[in-house]
Amino acid sequence: ATVIGVPHKKSEIADKISNRRQDMSFEKFSPSTKKNRPLASISTLARLSLNEACVDSFGLEGLNFAELFYDSAEKLIGIRFQATQGNDALRVQRRKNSGLFFNMKSFFHAYRIDYSKTYFCLVRQDAEDKKFIIVDLKVKSTRRAYDVTE
């Protein structure tokens, strides 16, 4: 006995559901989180770290060396990444799926940058030189990385 309009087999039900999905315009929802924002951290170990979002967003994969700069008036650290080692370039230390870091003790001492506590800073890419990354020390948070606001 078949009820009118109601399929009686599991495969018929699956086919009907599949056909309905094909007729609909589903759009996948991807929640945006502040955790996926490019951020830098300065730690009590005198390390400057850039999260994985920096590596992905700014195309830093494979750039294994960097030159460091400092703008004392604006409190900005500049990092120019490069594929090969040049004069005054530091080797980039990479943590798989976690970003990259530099040991910066002498740099922090030379420019009197505080690293007595860990804090997070906003990071941006230079508009003209895509291999030049800017860490803004004026906008920082000592709480979790995703609490940093613009």
Side-chain angles (χ1 to χ4, degrees):
T2 302
V3 178
I4 297 174
V6 178
H8 65 284
K9 293 182 181 176
K10 286 183 181 180
S11 64
E12 289 176 12
I13 293 171
D15 287 344
K16 251 192 161 176
I17 290 171
S18 178
N19 289 338
R20 278 191 207 144
R21 272 194 299 238
Q22 290 173 357
D23 295 338
M24 296 179 185
S25 298
F26 282 102
E27 184 176 316
K28 183 179 176 188
F29 171 72
S30 297
S32 63
T33 66
K34 292 181 181 177
K35 291 181 183 180
N36 296 330
R37 233 178 14 181
L39 289 171
S41 65
I42 293 179
S43 76
T44 56
L45 298 172
R47 280 191 183 156
L48 171 69
S49 300
L50 301 177
N51 66 2
E52 190 67 18
C54 288
V55 175
D56 293 340
S57 298
F58 305 143
L60 303 179
E61 194 66 53
L63 300 176
N64 297 320
F65 298 93
E67 294 175 306
L68 302 173
F69 303 88
Y70 188 63
D71 180 336
S72 57
E74 294 294 323
K75 295 192 180 228
L76 301 172
I77 296 174
I79 307 168
R80 180 172 291 122
F81 287 87
Q82 52 199 43
T84 58
Q85 186 171 15
N87 292 342
D88 301 324
L90 297 176
R91 177 173 288 283
V92 174
Q93 299 194 44
R94 183 81 162 95
R95 290 180 302 222
K96 189 171 176 123
N97 299 321
S98 295
L100 52 89
F101 68 93
F102 303 93
N103 290 316
M104 305 274 286
K105 192 170 191 172
S106 60
F107 183 90
F108 291 162
H109 280 278
Y111 295 106
R112 299 178 188 255
I113 297 171
D114 179 35
Y115 63 94
S116 63
K117 57 186 172 189
T118 298
Y119 54 93
F120 303 92
C121 305
L122 291 180
V123 181
R124 68 181 184 272
Q125 189 174 41
D126 186 74
E128 295 171 16
D129 182 353
K130 298 299 183 190
K131 293 181 181 178
F132 194 80
I133 306 304
I134 301 164
V135 178
D136 190 342
L137 299 178
K138 295 182 306 288
V139 182
K140 60 186 176 182
S141 171
T142 55
R143 297 175 49 161
R144 293 185 187 128
Y146 53 84
D147 290 339
V148 176
T149 56
E150 293 185 63

